[in-house]
Amino acid sequence: MTDPTNPLLTVDEAAARLATGARFVRRLIAERRIAFVHIGRHVRIPASAVEAFIQEGMVAPITTASVHGRAA
């Protein structure tokens, strides 16, 4: 039974959420860089896996103080 708060997305739906093409998502799957589920011959990506992938790639901004070692 699927979790309604964590739907399974098609490759195209995951690509839309990432604002990329389906080819990029298929590469992530092939490289095992994103969690996925096989349902027969179909591949589905949990929405939470897409969100986790986004969070893992999040880069914090650099502040002026940390670059120069003093306040701006």
Short mmCIF file of all heavy atoms in Angstrom, two decimals:
data_model
loop_
_atom_site.label_atom_id
_atom_site.label_comp_id
_atom_site.label_asym_id
_atom_site.label_seq_id
_atom_site.Cartn_x
_atom_site.Cartn_y
_atom_site.Cartn_z
N MET A 1 0.85 -1.19 0.00
CA MET A 1 0.00 0.00 0.00
C MET A 1 0.89 1.24 0.00
O MET A 1 1.84 1.33 0.76
CB MET A 1 -0.89 -0.03 1.23
CG MET A 1 -1.88 1.08 1.26
SD MET A 1 -3.08 0.73 2.55
CE MET A 1 -3.62 2.35 2.88
N THR A 2 0.57 2.18 -0.87
CA THR A 2 1.38 3.39 -0.95
C THR A 2 0.93 4.42 0.07
O THR A 2 -0.22 4.44 0.49
CB THR A 2 1.30 4.01 -2.36
OG1 THR A 2 -0.06 4.35 -2.62
CG2 THR A 2 1.82 3.06 -3.41
N ASP A 3 1.85 5.27 0.42
CA ASP A 3 1.60 6.33 1.39
C ASP A 3 1.11 7.56 0.64
O ASP A 3 1.84 8.09 -0.21
CB ASP A 3 2.91 6.64 2.13
CG ASP A 3 2.77 7.70 3.19
OD1 ASP A 3 1.66 8.24 3.37
OD2 ASP A 3 3.78 8.01 3.84
N PRO A 4 -0.10 8.05 0.93
CA PRO A 4 -0.61 9.22 0.20
C PRO A 4 0.21 10.49 0.44
O PRO A 4 0.18 11.40 -0.38
CB PRO A 4 -2.04 9.38 0.70
CG PRO A 4 -2.14 8.56 1.93
CD PRO A 4 -1.05 7.53 1.88
N THR A 5 0.96 10.52 1.51
CA THR A 5 1.81 11.70 1.76
C THR A 5 3.15 11.59 1.05
O THR A 5 3.92 12.55 1.04
CB THR A 5 2.05 11.89 3.28
OG1 THR A 5 2.74 10.74 3.79
CG2 THR A 5 0.74 12.08 4.02
N ASN A 6 3.44 10.43 0.48
CA ASN A 6 4.70 10.20 -0.22
C ASN A 6 4.41 9.42 -1.52
O ASN A 6 4.75 8.26 -1.63
CB ASN A 6 5.68 9.43 0.66
CG ASN A 6 7.05 9.34 0.03
OD1 ASN A 6 7.44 10.15 -0.79
ND2 ASN A 6 7.79 8.31 0.40
N PRO A 7 3.79 10.10 -2.49
CA PRO A 7 3.41 9.38 -3.72
C PRO A 7 4.62 8.92 -4.53
O PRO A 7 5.71 9.48 -4.42
CB PRO A 7 2.61 10.43 -4.49
CG PRO A 7 3.13 11.74 -4.00
CD PRO A 7 3.48 11.51 -2.55
N LEU A 8 4.40 7.89 -5.32
CA LEU A 8 5.42 7.41 -6.23
C LEU A 8 5.29 8.18 -7.54
O LEU A 8 4.21 8.28 -8.10
CB LEU A 8 5.25 5.91 -6.48
CG LEU A 8 5.46 5.01 -5.27
CD1 LEU A 8 5.15 3.57 -5.63
CD2 LEU A 8 6.87 5.14 -4.74
N LEU A 9 6.41 8.72 -8.00
CA LEU A 9 6.41 9.55 -9.20
C LEU A 9 6.99 8.78 -10.38
O LEU A 9 7.88 7.95 -10.22
CB LEU A 9 7.26 10.80 -8.97
CG LEU A 9 6.93 11.65 -7.75
CD1 LEU A 9 7.96 12.76 -7.59
CD2 LEU A 9 5.53 12.22 -7.85
N THR A 10 6.50 9.09 -11.57
CA THR A 10 7.11 8.55 -12.78
C THR A 10 8.41 9.31 -13.01
O THR A 10 8.68 10.34 -12.37
CB THR A 10 6.19 8.74 -13.99
OG1 THR A 10 6.04 10.13 -14.24
CG2 THR A 10 4.85 8.07 -13.79
N VAL A 11 9.20 8.82 -13.94
CA VAL A 11 10.45 9.51 -14.27
C VAL A 11 10.15 10.92 -14.76
O VAL A 11 10.82 11.89 -14.37
CB VAL A 11 11.25 8.71 -15.32
CG1 VAL A 11 12.41 9.51 -15.87
CG2 VAL A 11 11.73 7.40 -14.72
N ASP A 12 9.13 11.07 -15.59
CA ASP A 12 8.77 12.39 -16.11
C ASP A 12 8.30 13.33 -15.00
O ASP A 12 8.63 14.52 -15.00
CB ASP A 12 7.70 12.28 -17.18
CG ASP A 12 8.23 11.67 -18.47
OD1 ASP A 12 9.44 11.81 -18.75
OD2 ASP A 12 7.43 11.04 -19.20
N GLU A 13 7.53 12.81 -14.04
CA GLU A 13 7.07 13.64 -12.93
C GLU A 13 8.25 14.07 -12.04
O GLU A 13 8.30 15.22 -11.60
CB GLU A 13 6.03 12.89 -12.10
CG GLU A 13 4.72 12.67 -12.82
CD GLU A 13 3.79 11.72 -12.11
OE1 GLU A 13 4.27 10.87 -11.32
OE2 GLU A 13 2.58 11.81 -12.36
N ALA A 14 9.18 13.16 -11.80
CA ALA A 14 10.36 13.50 -11.00
C ALA A 14 11.19 14.55 -11.74
O ALA A 14 11.70 15.49 -11.13
CB ALA A 14 11.20 12.26 -10.72
N ALA A 15 11.32 14.40 -13.05
CA ALA A 15 12.07 15.37 -13.86
C ALA A 15 11.42 16.74 -13.77
O ALA A 15 12.12 17.76 -13.66
CB ALA A 15 12.15 14.90 -15.30
N ALA A 16 10.10 16.79 -13.80
CA ALA A 16 9.40 18.07 -13.69
C ALA A 16 9.66 18.73 -12.34
O ALA A 16 9.87 19.94 -12.26
CB ALA A 16 7.90 17.86 -13.91
N ARG A 17 9.67 17.94 -11.28
CA ARG A 17 9.94 18.50 -9.94
C ARG A 17 11.37 19.01 -9.82
O ARG A 17 11.63 19.95 -9.08
CB ARG A 17 9.67 17.47 -8.85
CG ARG A 17 8.21 17.22 -8.64
CD ARG A 17 7.96 16.56 -7.32
NE ARG A 17 6.54 16.27 -7.19
CZ ARG A 17 5.99 15.87 -6.06
NH1 ARG A 17 6.71 15.69 -4.98
NH2 ARG A 17 4.70 15.61 -6.01
N LEU A 18 12.28 18.38 -10.53
CA LEU A 18 13.68 18.81 -10.51
C LEU A 18 13.99 19.86 -11.57
O LEU A 18 15.10 20.36 -11.63
CB LEU A 18 14.60 17.59 -10.70
CG LEU A 18 14.62 16.58 -9.58
CD1 LEU A 18 15.37 15.33 -10.01
CD2 LEU A 18 15.25 17.18 -8.33
N ALA A 19 13.01 20.15 -12.41
CA ALA A 19 13.18 21.10 -13.52
C ALA A 19 14.32 20.65 -14.44
O ALA A 19 15.18 21.44 -14.82
CB ALA A 19 13.39 22.52 -13.01
N THR A 20 14.33 19.36 -14.75
CA THR A 20 15.33 18.78 -15.64
C THR A 20 14.62 17.88 -16.64
O THR A 20 13.40 17.73 -16.60
CB THR A 20 16.35 17.91 -14.86
OG1 THR A 20 15.67 16.79 -14.31
CG2 THR A 20 17.03 18.69 -13.76
N GLY A 21 15.38 17.26 -17.47
CA GLY A 21 14.81 16.30 -18.40
C GLY A 21 14.77 14.91 -17.80
O GLY A 21 15.44 14.63 -16.80
N ALA A 22 13.99 14.05 -18.43
CA ALA A 22 13.87 12.67 -17.97
C ALA A 22 15.21 11.95 -18.07
O ALA A 22 15.52 11.07 -17.25
CB ALA A 22 12.82 11.93 -18.79
N ARG A 23 16.03 12.33 -19.05
CA ARG A 23 17.34 11.69 -19.22
C ARG A 23 18.21 11.85 -17.97
O ARG A 23 18.92 10.92 -17.56
CB ARG A 23 18.02 12.29 -20.44
CG ARG A 23 19.31 11.63 -20.78
CD ARG A 23 19.84 12.23 -22.06
NE ARG A 23 21.12 11.62 -22.40
CZ ARG A 23 21.82 11.93 -23.45
NH1 ARG A 23 21.39 12.84 -24.29
NH2 ARG A 23 22.96 11.34 -23.68
N PHE A 24 18.18 13.03 -17.35
CA PHE A 24 18.95 13.28 -16.12
C PHE A 24 18.46 12.35 -15.00
O PHE A 24 19.27 11.76 -14.28
CB PHE A 24 18.84 14.74 -15.70
CG PHE A 24 19.53 15.05 -14.41
CD1 PHE A 24 20.92 15.07 -14.33
CD2 PHE A 24 18.81 15.32 -13.26
CE1 PHE A 24 21.56 15.35 -13.13
CE2 PHE A 24 19.44 15.59 -12.06
CZ PHE A 24 20.82 15.62 -12.00
N VAL A 25 17.16 12.23 -14.85
CA VAL A 25 16.60 11.37 -13.79
C VAL A 25 16.98 9.91 -14.05
O VAL A 25 17.36 9.19 -13.14
CB VAL A 25 15.07 11.53 -13.69
CG1 VAL A 25 14.48 10.56 -12.68
CG2 VAL A 25 14.72 12.97 -13.32
N ARG A 26 16.93 9.48 -15.30
CA ARG A 26 17.33 8.11 -15.62
C ARG A 26 18.81 7.88 -15.30
O ARG A 26 19.20 6.80 -14.86
CB ARG A 26 17.04 7.80 -17.09
CG ARG A 26 15.57 7.69 -17.36
CD ARG A 26 15.29 7.23 -18.78
NE ARG A 26 13.89 7.38 -19.12
CZ ARG A 26 12.90 6.60 -18.70
NH1 ARG A 26 13.17 5.59 -17.91
NH2 ARG A 26 11.67 6.81 -19.07
N ARG A 27 19.64 8.90 -15.50
CA ARG A 27 21.06 8.78 -15.15
C ARG A 27 21.22 8.66 -13.63
O ARG A 27 22.02 7.87 -13.14
CB ARG A 27 21.86 9.97 -15.69
CG ARG A 27 23.36 9.71 -15.58
CD ARG A 27 24.16 10.79 -16.24
NE ARG A 27 24.33 11.86 -15.26
CZ ARG A 27 24.32 13.16 -15.54
NH1 ARG A 27 24.14 13.58 -16.77
NH2 ARG A 27 24.48 14.05 -14.61
N LEU A 28 20.45 9.45 -12.87
CA LEU A 28 20.50 9.35 -11.41
C LEU A 28 20.13 7.94 -10.96
O LEU A 28 20.74 7.39 -10.04
CB LEU A 28 19.54 10.36 -10.77
CG LEU A 28 19.86 11.83 -10.92
CD1 LEU A 28 18.75 12.68 -10.30
CD2 LEU A 28 21.20 12.17 -10.31
N ILE A 29 19.13 7.36 -11.60
CA ILE A 29 18.70 6.01 -11.27
C ILE A 29 19.81 5.01 -11.62
O ILE A 29 20.16 4.15 -10.81
CB ILE A 29 17.39 5.67 -12.00
CG1 ILE A 29 16.25 6.50 -11.42
CG2 ILE A 29 17.08 4.17 -11.92
CD1 ILE A 29 14.98 6.50 -12.26
N ALA A 30 20.37 5.13 -12.81
CA ALA A 30 21.42 4.20 -13.26
C ALA A 30 22.64 4.26 -12.36
O ALA A 30 23.28 3.24 -12.10
CB ALA A 30 21.81 4.51 -14.70
N GLU A 31 22.96 5.47 -11.87
CA GLU A 31 24.12 5.65 -11.00
C GLU A 31 23.78 5.42 -9.53
O GLU A 31 24.63 5.60 -8.66
CB GLU A 31 24.69 7.06 -11.18
CG GLU A 31 25.26 7.30 -12.57
CD GLU A 31 25.68 8.74 -12.80
OE1 GLU A 31 25.44 9.61 -11.93
OE2 GLU A 31 26.22 9.01 -13.88
N ARG A 32 22.54 5.04 -9.25
CA ARG A 32 22.07 4.79 -7.88
C ARG A 32 22.25 6.02 -6.98
O ARG A 32 22.58 5.91 -5.80
CB ARG A 32 22.76 3.59 -7.24
CG ARG A 32 22.66 2.29 -8.00
CD ARG A 32 21.23 1.77 -7.96
NE ARG A 32 21.14 0.35 -8.25
CZ ARG A 32 20.80 -0.15 -9.44
NH1 ARG A 32 20.56 0.66 -10.44
NH2 ARG A 32 20.71 -1.46 -9.62
N ARG A 33 22.02 7.20 -7.55
CA ARG A 33 22.17 8.45 -6.79
C ARG A 33 20.84 8.93 -6.22
O ARG A 33 20.79 9.89 -5.45
CB ARG A 33 22.78 9.54 -7.68
CG ARG A 33 24.22 9.22 -8.05
CD ARG A 33 24.80 10.20 -9.04
NE ARG A 33 24.63 11.58 -8.61
CZ ARG A 33 24.70 12.61 -9.45
NH1 ARG A 33 24.94 12.42 -10.72
NH2 ARG A 33 24.54 13.83 -8.99
N ILE A 34 19.74 8.25 -6.58
CA ILE A 34 18.42 8.57 -6.05
C ILE A 34 17.69 7.25 -5.81
O ILE A 34 17.87 6.28 -6.56
CB ILE A 34 17.63 9.49 -7.02
CG1 ILE A 34 16.41 10.08 -6.34
CG2 ILE A 34 17.28 8.78 -8.31
CD1 ILE A 34 15.79 11.24 -7.10
N ALA A 35 16.92 7.21 -4.74
CA ALA A 35 16.17 5.99 -4.41
C ALA A 35 15.04 5.80 -5.41
O ALA A 35 14.44 6.77 -5.88
CB ALA A 35 15.60 6.10 -3.00
N PHE A 36 14.76 4.56 -5.76
CA PHE A 36 13.68 4.26 -6.68
C PHE A 36 13.11 2.89 -6.38
O PHE A 36 13.68 2.12 -5.61
CB PHE A 36 14.16 4.33 -8.14
CG PHE A 36 15.22 3.33 -8.49
CD1 PHE A 36 14.88 2.11 -9.06
CD2 PHE A 36 16.57 3.59 -8.24
CE1 PHE A 36 15.86 1.19 -9.38
CE2 PHE A 36 17.54 2.68 -8.57
CZ PHE A 36 17.19 1.47 -9.14
N VAL A 37 11.96 2.60 -6.98
CA VAL A 37 11.25 1.34 -6.77
C VAL A 37 10.94 0.74 -8.13
O VAL A 37 10.51 1.45 -9.04
CB VAL A 37 9.92 1.61 -6.02
CG1 VAL A 37 9.13 0.33 -5.84
CG2 VAL A 37 10.17 2.29 -4.70
N HIS A 38 11.16 -0.57 -8.25
CA HIS A 38 10.74 -1.29 -9.45
C HIS A 38 9.34 -1.84 -9.19
O HIS A 38 9.10 -2.49 -8.18
CB HIS A 38 11.66 -2.47 -9.75
CG HIS A 38 12.85 -2.11 -10.55
ND1 HIS A 38 12.80 -1.83 -11.89
CD2 HIS A 38 14.15 -1.97 -10.21
CE1 HIS A 38 14.00 -1.54 -12.33
NE2 HIS A 38 14.85 -1.62 -11.32
N ILE A 39 8.43 -1.56 -10.09
CA ILE A 39 7.09 -2.14 -10.05
C ILE A 39 6.92 -2.84 -11.39
O ILE A 39 6.62 -2.20 -12.39
CB ILE A 39 6.01 -1.07 -9.82
CG1 ILE A 39 6.27 -0.35 -8.51
CG2 ILE A 39 4.63 -1.70 -9.84
CD1 ILE A 39 5.35 0.80 -8.22
N GLY A 40 7.21 -4.11 -11.39
CA GLY A 40 7.27 -4.83 -12.65
C GLY A 40 8.41 -4.28 -13.48
O GLY A 40 9.54 -4.21 -13.02
N ARG A 41 8.12 -3.85 -14.69
CA ARG A 41 9.13 -3.25 -15.54
C ARG A 41 9.19 -1.73 -15.38
O ARG A 41 10.02 -1.07 -16.00
CB ARG A 41 8.84 -3.58 -17.00
CG ARG A 41 9.04 -5.05 -17.29
CD ARG A 41 8.72 -5.44 -18.70
NE ARG A 41 8.90 -4.37 -19.67
CZ ARG A 41 8.68 -4.50 -20.96
NH1 ARG A 41 8.27 -5.64 -21.43
NH2 ARG A 41 8.85 -3.50 -21.78
N HIS A 42 8.32 -1.18 -14.56
CA HIS A 42 8.24 0.26 -14.37
C HIS A 42 9.14 0.72 -13.23
O HIS A 42 9.38 -0.03 -12.28
CB HIS A 42 6.80 0.69 -14.09
CG HIS A 42 5.85 0.31 -15.17
ND1 HIS A 42 5.71 1.02 -16.33
CD2 HIS A 42 5.00 -0.74 -15.26
CE1 HIS A 42 4.82 0.45 -17.11
NE2 HIS A 42 4.37 -0.65 -16.48
N VAL A 43 9.61 1.93 -13.34
CA VAL A 43 10.43 2.53 -12.28
C VAL A 43 9.65 3.71 -11.72
O VAL A 43 9.12 4.53 -12.46
CB VAL A 43 11.79 3.02 -12.84
CG1 VAL A 43 12.57 3.78 -11.78
CG2 VAL A 43 12.60 1.86 -13.36
N ARG A 44 9.59 3.78 -10.41
CA ARG A 44 8.93 4.89 -9.74
C ARG A 44 9.87 5.45 -8.68
O ARG A 44 10.64 4.72 -8.06
CB ARG A 44 7.62 4.45 -9.08
CG ARG A 44 6.57 3.96 -10.06
CD ARG A 44 6.06 5.07 -10.95
NE ARG A 44 5.02 4.62 -11.85
CZ ARG A 44 5.22 4.34 -13.13
NH1 ARG A 44 6.43 4.40 -13.64
NH2 ARG A 44 4.22 3.97 -13.89
N ILE A 45 9.78 6.75 -8.47
CA ILE A 45 10.64 7.44 -7.51
C ILE A 45 9.74 8.02 -6.41
O ILE A 45 8.83 8.80 -6.72
CB ILE A 45 11.45 8.56 -8.19
CG1 ILE A 45 12.35 7.98 -9.29
CG2 ILE A 45 12.30 9.30 -7.19
CD1 ILE A 45 11.87 8.27 -10.66
N PRO A 46 9.98 7.68 -5.16
CA PRO A 46 9.19 8.29 -4.09
C PRO A 46 9.43 9.80 -4.06
O PRO A 46 10.56 10.27 -4.24
CB PRO A 46 9.73 7.64 -2.82
CG PRO A 46 10.40 6.38 -3.28
CD PRO A 46 10.91 6.67 -4.65
N ALA A 47 8.37 10.57 -3.85
CA ALA A 47 8.50 12.02 -3.78
C ALA A 47 9.50 12.43 -2.71
O ALA A 47 10.26 13.39 -2.89
CB ALA A 47 7.13 12.65 -3.51
N SER A 48 9.57 11.67 -1.62
CA SER A 48 10.52 11.99 -0.55
C SER A 48 11.97 11.83 -1.02
O SER A 48 12.86 12.54 -0.57
CB SER A 48 10.27 11.11 0.68
OG SER A 48 10.46 9.75 0.34
N ALA A 49 12.20 10.91 -1.96
CA ALA A 49 13.56 10.72 -2.49
C ALA A 49 13.97 11.91 -3.35
O ALA A 49 15.13 12.33 -3.33
CB ALA A 49 13.63 9.44 -3.31
N VAL A 50 13.02 12.48 -4.08
CA VAL A 50 13.32 13.68 -4.87
C VAL A 50 13.65 14.84 -3.94
O VAL A 50 14.63 15.55 -4.15
CB VAL A 50 12.13 14.03 -5.80
CG1 VAL A 50 12.38 15.35 -6.52
CG2 VAL A 50 11.89 12.91 -6.80
N GLU A 51 12.86 15.00 -2.89
CA GLU A 51 13.11 16.08 -1.93
C GLU A 51 14.45 15.87 -1.23
O GLU A 51 15.21 16.83 -1.01
CB GLU A 51 11.98 16.17 -0.90
CG GLU A 51 10.65 16.56 -1.51
CD GLU A 51 10.70 17.86 -2.29
OE1 GLU A 51 11.33 18.83 -1.81
OE2 GLU A 51 10.14 17.91 -3.39
N ALA A 52 14.78 14.63 -0.87
CA ALA A 52 16.06 14.34 -0.22
C ALA A 52 17.22 14.66 -1.16
O ALA A 52 18.24 15.21 -0.73
CB ALA A 52 16.12 12.88 0.22
N PHE A 53 17.07 14.34 -2.45
CA PHE A 53 18.11 14.64 -3.43
C PHE A 53 18.33 16.15 -3.52
O PHE A 53 19.48 16.61 -3.57
CB PHE A 53 17.72 14.07 -4.80
CG PHE A 53 18.74 14.34 -5.86
CD1 PHE A 53 19.90 13.57 -5.93
CD2 PHE A 53 18.57 15.36 -6.78
CE1 PHE A 53 20.86 13.83 -6.90
CE2 PHE A 53 19.51 15.61 -7.75
CZ PHE A 53 20.66 14.85 -7.81
N ILE A 54 17.26 16.91 -3.51
CA ILE A 54 17.37 18.37 -3.54
C ILE A 54 18.09 18.88 -2.30
O ILE A 54 19.00 19.71 -2.38
CB ILE A 54 15.97 19.02 -3.67
CG1 ILE A 54 15.39 18.69 -5.05
CG2 ILE A 54 16.05 20.52 -3.45
CD1 ILE A 54 13.92 19.05 -5.19
N GLN A 55 17.71 18.36 -1.13
CA GLN A 55 18.33 18.81 0.12
C GLN A 55 19.81 18.46 0.18
O GLN A 55 20.62 19.24 0.69
CB GLN A 55 17.59 18.22 1.33
CG GLN A 55 16.21 18.80 1.54
CD GLN A 55 16.21 20.30 1.69
OE1 GLN A 55 17.02 20.87 2.41
NE2 GLN A 55 15.31 20.96 0.99
N GLU A 56 20.18 17.29 -0.33
CA GLU A 56 21.59 16.89 -0.33
C GLU A 56 22.44 17.81 -1.19
O GLU A 56 23.62 18.01 -0.93
CB GLU A 56 21.73 15.45 -0.84
CG GLU A 56 21.23 14.42 0.12
CD GLU A 56 21.18 13.02 -0.49
OE1 GLU A 56 21.74 12.83 -1.59
OE2 GLU A 56 20.59 12.14 0.13
N GLY A 57 21.84 18.38 -2.23
CA GLY A 57 22.57 19.27 -3.12
C GLY A 57 22.55 20.72 -2.71
O GLY A 57 23.17 21.57 -3.36
N MET A 58 21.84 21.02 -1.62
CA MET A 58 21.71 22.41 -1.17
C MET A 58 23.05 22.94 -0.70
O MET A 58 23.75 22.30 0.08
CB MET A 58 20.69 22.49 -0.02
CG MET A 58 20.33 23.88 0.40
SD MET A 58 19.28 24.74 -0.76
CE MET A 58 17.80 23.75 -0.72
N VAL A 59 23.41 24.10 -1.20
CA VAL A 59 24.67 24.75 -0.84
C VAL A 59 24.33 26.05 -0.11
O VAL A 59 23.58 26.88 -0.62
CB VAL A 59 25.51 25.06 -2.10
CG1 VAL A 59 26.79 25.78 -1.72
CG2 VAL A 59 25.81 23.79 -2.86
N ALA A 60 24.88 26.21 1.09
CA ALA A 60 24.63 27.41 1.88
C ALA A 60 25.36 28.60 1.26
O ALA A 60 26.47 28.46 0.73
CB ALA A 60 25.10 27.20 3.31
N PRO A 61 24.75 29.78 1.33
CA PRO A 61 25.41 30.96 0.77
C PRO A 61 26.63 31.35 1.61
O PRO A 61 26.70 31.07 2.81
CB PRO A 61 24.34 32.04 0.84
CG PRO A 61 23.40 31.59 1.90
CD PRO A 61 23.45 30.09 1.89
N ILE A 62 27.58 31.96 0.95
CA ILE A 62 28.77 32.46 1.64
C ILE A 62 28.48 33.88 2.09
O ILE A 62 28.02 34.70 1.31
CB ILE A 62 29.99 32.45 0.70
CG1 ILE A 62 30.32 31.03 0.28
CG2 ILE A 62 31.19 33.12 1.37
CD1 ILE A 62 31.42 30.94 -0.76
N THR A 63 28.76 34.15 3.36
CA THR A 63 28.57 35.51 3.86
C THR A 63 29.88 36.28 3.73
O THR A 63 30.96 35.70 3.68
CB THR A 63 28.12 35.49 5.33
OG1 THR A 63 29.16 34.88 6.09
CG2 THR A 63 26.82 34.73 5.50
N THR A 64 29.77 37.59 3.69
CA THR A 64 30.97 38.43 3.56
C THR A 64 31.91 38.22 4.73
O THR A 64 33.12 38.16 4.56
CB THR A 64 30.56 39.92 3.49
OG1 THR A 64 29.60 40.06 2.45
CG2 THR A 64 31.74 40.81 3.23
N ALA A 65 31.37 38.04 5.93
CA ALA A 65 32.20 37.87 7.13
C ALA A 65 33.04 36.59 7.03
O ALA A 65 34.20 36.58 7.43
CB ALA A 65 31.33 37.84 8.38
N SER A 66 32.45 35.53 6.50
CA SER A 66 33.20 34.28 6.44
C SER A 66 34.26 34.29 5.32
O SER A 66 35.25 33.59 5.41
CB SER A 66 32.25 33.10 6.25
OG SER A 66 31.61 33.19 5.00
N VAL A 67 34.08 35.11 4.32
CA VAL A 67 35.04 35.18 3.23
C VAL A 67 36.28 35.97 3.65
O VAL A 67 37.41 35.57 3.42
CB VAL A 67 34.39 35.80 1.98
CG1 VAL A 67 35.44 36.06 0.90
CG2 VAL A 67 33.31 34.91 1.44
N HIS A 68 36.05 37.11 4.28
CA HIS A 68 37.15 38.01 4.64
C HIS A 68 37.57 37.91 6.10
O HIS A 68 38.53 38.54 6.50
CB HIS A 68 36.77 39.45 4.34
CG HIS A 68 36.48 39.67 2.87
ND1 HIS A 68 37.44 39.60 1.90
CD2 HIS A 68 35.31 39.90 2.22
CE1 HIS A 68 36.90 39.82 0.72
NE2 HIS A 68 35.59 39.99 0.88
N GLY A 69 36.84 37.14 6.88
CA GLY A 69 37.20 36.97 8.28
C GLY A 69 36.79 38.15 9.16
O GLY A 69 37.16 38.25 10.31
N ARG A 70 36.01 39.06 8.61
CA ARG A 70 35.54 40.21 9.39
C ARG A 70 34.16 40.60 8.89
O ARG A 70 33.75 40.22 7.81
CB ARG A 70 36.50 41.38 9.28
CG ARG A 70 36.76 41.83 7.88
CD ARG A 70 37.86 42.92 7.85
NE ARG A 70 38.49 42.97 6.56
CZ ARG A 70 38.02 43.71 5.53
NH1 ARG A 70 36.95 44.42 5.66
NH2 ARG A 70 38.65 43.72 4.37
N ALA A 71 33.49 41.40 9.70
CA ALA A 71 32.16 41.86 9.33
C ALA A 71 32.25 42.87 8.20
O ALA A 71 33.25 43.57 8.05
CB ALA A 71 31.46 42.49 10.54
N ALA A 72 31.19 42.96 7.43
CA ALA A 72 31.18 43.89 6.29
C ALA A 72 31.04 45.33 6.72
O ALA A 72 30.55 45.69 7.69
CB ALA A 72 30.04 43.53 5.34
#
